[in-house]
Amino acid sequence: MAAELGLAALWMAAALAVLQLLAGALALRGGERDGAAMAALVRPAAAVQGLLAAVSFAALLWVFAITDLSVKLVAANSHVDKPLVFKVAGAWGNHEGSMLLWVTVMALAGALIAAIERRLPERTMLATLGAQAFVGIGFYAFLLFSSNPFERLPVPAEQGLGLNPLLQDLGLAFHPPTLYFGYVGLSVAFSFAVGALLTRQVTPEFARVMRPWILGAWVFLTLGITAGSYWAYYELGWGGWWFWDPVENASLMPWLAATALLHSASVLASRDALRTWTIMLGVVAFSMSMVGTFLVRSGVLTSVHAFAVDPERGSFILALLAIYIGGALLLFALRAGAISEGKRFSATSREGALVFNNVMLSALLGVVLLGTLYPLLTEAFDVRVSVGPPYFNPVGAVFALPMLAVMAVGPLLRWRRDSLARVSKPVILVAAIALGVLVAVVLLGNVHILPLLGLALAAGLAVASFMPLRGRKLLRTPLSTWGMIVAHFGIAIALFGMASETAFSEERLVAVADGDTTQVGPWQVTLAGVMPVAGPNWTALEAKLAASYRGGAGIELDPQSRSFWSPPQQTTESALATRWNGQLYAVLGAQADDGRWQLRLWWKPFVTFIWYGGLLVALGGALSIFGRLQADLRRRTARRLINERRTERESLA
Amino acid sequence: MTGRLKPKHQRLVLVVVALIALVGAALLASWALRSQASYFYLPEQMAEDPPAPDQAVRLGGMVEEGSLETLADGVTISFTVTGRENSAIPVRFSGIVPDLFVEGSGVVAEGRLGADGVFVADNLLAKHDENYVPRELQDMTEHQAAEMAEDTTVGL
């Protein structure tokens, strides 16, 4: 019953999206008087559409929670023996469910805009909600015609096929929704951009309305990428944290675009410059999340993260991609000329630094996009190529390193016009720190050029990120400034983690018998034995390792080689010992013919800083949202008080 | 971009600068990609035109039946990768092999070709889904039975 209810709610939500689009379009056409009736429909339609989509998703959660095996999707992706949390997570751990989650979040976002957003001119608001509905309709059609999550089986299954064991991990169960919140937040920014293009009203107020959505999307993308990277690190058992896999790139590209958008929207909001550029980035950022969805969902590219290969779905998303992005770019081409560029600024100014950051981020985006799509392009000419780290690392660094250097200086500069002489003292200090680290690391030993530059920049950037606090009262510094400081500091921390891991990791690969001791970096590791263990839906061989750091107290580590039976699959469960200054990473391999066990051990100094950095970046974004909302609230309260006094005075008079 | 420029001109300068940077990025990327075109090798390609000794490349093919051997240290294996034609590249790998790595299955090895003609792999790409066949290996099914490749392909 729940499945039918969910499907019915989905159809009704789709119908309301159509109504929302039509009413919005008619209202814009009809002008002040005739359009009013239509305009009155748009906001309620958006609100109810959000509710219905939520009902539909709740129905999906329910059929997964009770493991209703007459629903095809449940039978294909769940299993009666699975722990409840993974049963529920199974609802979005597959193609159909994740698309339904996407639509639901998007509809709820639309409902939220409709309910609370009153700052934009009404016509821009109508255009925005219409654009939002237009995007939504495509995804509803995709779900209803090509990926119905509520399809019933003619005969209910008995047990279910199970969820991919690699997804049976708390980190991964919750990381796709996180990314989706990010993607969907960008769809809202896209709708705002299209709305503003339609009504030609690109103002600082518009940027202020759009900014919390970009920030929110950016925070979720940051969290999703951080979580995904940590998952790949401990779950795949390869000891790496970034593989330049197409699926990883699919989340990185919208993040790069959103980062650029965030900064250019800031320029628009505070200085009324970069109008067209901001709109352009709004279109590009959402395009990148669509491209990402296409790459991930169509299976056109080789990926570590195996998803079903389905050309029909691929072409459906490709068609949506063409309609939305092509349409938005066409609209942009037609309207961009009508939007004036706004205020001027000199090259050495906060705006100038932000423009540089924007161009570098766009170049990085282009580099990653080209590298990701290149295998597809060459395949058209029947040449098979795979593009990997030897391409991405150096080419990416060409743009990332100068950007990071300018990022250290940019926040020190004043808006509009500044001179380098004014900020020379802090800049020299930061450069000296970076240079000092560079020399120290060179003296320390044999470190490759990229991690070397990374370490130096990280040190300089870490100090520089706190420079904007100079001469400010700490408690009076606005939250949004704190947000920027924390986010920039987070980038420095993550960069430090990446560079240290690359530069100083030590690896040991051995075959050991029971009782044997081996050394990796400062650690001594002894194999106490290997024994079979069992979990709710798996069995495993588990090694008991006793590890001690520089002869200190022993820590027990239990890496496993796990076998799931439904679906039958083996996974490697690495074991980690975390210290403040790094992680010991242990993987159990196969048993050699002579009875010895293969062990792979890594000592990775400061590797955890990569993810601490990611969390700090997200925290910075969150602080910024909070600060902006607080400021808006204050402004609104002040305006209300002024109005109240005015009416009071008028009534007295 | 001084204060004397008119907004229209400043906008033009910005656009030109951005375009130069982006075109530069595209040129650099495509130059780097062209040198990457030789990143993925089939055994016959590697035999015919070997990569430079220190160049990181990928070798994809089938693990020849009966060629898999574990060396005395217990962690190094050697095997032969064959392609569609009668060429075979010996491979040495130290590490933990992916669970579904067996003789007769497909493999993608990342590493370098040594001066002695042995391919030293840093990484054997692990399989993550039994339904999944890496695109690079799809043609291999002409050489081996298609079904077996479907069942056993080891790939990224």
Side-chain angles (χ1 to χ4, degrees), chain A residues 164 166 236 238 245 274 276 299-304 306 336-337 339-347 355 359 362-363 367 370-371 374 379 384-391 395 398-399 417 509-511 561 567-572 587-589 592 596 598-600, chain B residues 1-7 10-11 14 17-18 21-22 24-26 28-30 32-34 36-40 56 58 70-77 93-97 99-100 110 122-132 134-139 156:
Chain A
N164 184 340
L166 283 167
L236 297 181
W238 301 351
D245 180 81
L274 301 185
T276 26
V300 292
L301 286 175
T302 309
S303 158
V304 197
I339 299 161
S340 66
E341 194 46 52
K343 300 241 167 59
R344 275 177 294 166
F345 52 87
S346 95
V355 166
V359 172
S362 311
V367 163
L370 268 177
Y374 192 70
E379 186 149 326
R384 278 164 202 246
V385 174
S386 43
V387 179
Y391 162 77
V395 180
V398 168
F399 300 96
R417 186 185 302 177
L509 175 73
V510 283
S561 170
Q569 191 171 338
Q570 302 248 329
T571 67
T572 303
V587 181
L588 175 68
R596 289 184 297 168
Q598 293 179 343
L599 271 186
R600 186 163 211 166
Chain B
M1 269 184 282
T2 61
R4 270 172 297 145
L5 286 174
K6 286 188 183 144
Q10 180 173 41
R11 185 173 169 185
L14 276 181
V17 169
L22 292 180
L28 180 64
S30 51
L33 281 170
R34 255 206 307 279
Q36 282 269 312
S38 54
Y39 185 47
F40 183 82
R58 279 181 180 171
T70 307
L71 304 186
D73 67 355
V75 290
T76 305
I77 55 167
F93 172 69
S94 294
I96 290 168
V97 297
D99 296 305
L100 287 157
E110 287 182 330
D122 310 320
N123 208 356
L124 298 183
L125 298 182
K127 170 187 159 82
H128 282 93
D129 183 328
E130 63 275 16
N131 301 322
Y132 182 72
R135 298 182 71 79
E136 287 98 338
L137 291 181
Q138 279 173 359
D139 283 355
L156 182 67

Side-chain angles (χ1 to χ4, degrees), chain B residues 68-89:
Chain B
L68 185 62
E69 231 182 298
T70 307
L71 304 186
D73 67 355
V75 290
T76 305
I77 55 167
S78 72
F79 55 91
T80 311
V81 171
T82 57
R84 263 172 290 173
E85 291 148 33
N86 280 335
S87 48
I89 303 284

Side-chain angles (χ1 to χ4, degrees), chain A residues 12-36:
Chain A
M12 286 192 280
L16 275 171
V18 174
L19 175 70
Q20 183 179 333
L21 173 65
L22 290 177
L26 289 176
L28 283 179
R29 287 245 127 171
E32 289 287 312
R33 220 161 35 106
D34 302 336

Side-chain angles (χ1 to χ4, degrees), chain A residues 129-212:
Chain A
L129 284 173
Q132 180 86 355
F134 186 53
V135 176
I137 289 167
F139 284 92
Y140 283 120
F142 185 36
L143 272 166
L144 291 169
F145 299 128
S146 147
S147 320
N148 175 11
F150 297 108
E151 193 179 337
R152 293 269 189 193
L153 286 172
V155 182
E158 278 176 20
Q159 287 196 314
L161 292 172
L163 176 67
N164 184 340
L166 283 167
L167 303 180
Q168 296 195 31
D169 176 275
L170 275 183
L172 199 71
F174 290 96
H175 124 264
T178 315
L179 281 176
Y180 275 20
F181 284 126
Y183 286 173
V184 172
L186 290 179
S187 84
V188 175
F190 173 86
S191 302
F192 274 117
V194 171
L197 272 178
L198 284 171
T199 57
R200 297 186 183 86
Q201 292 190 321
V202 186
T203 58
E205 191 61 27
F206 156 79
R208 279 196 280 275
V209 171
M210 187 160 91
R211 188 158 54 184

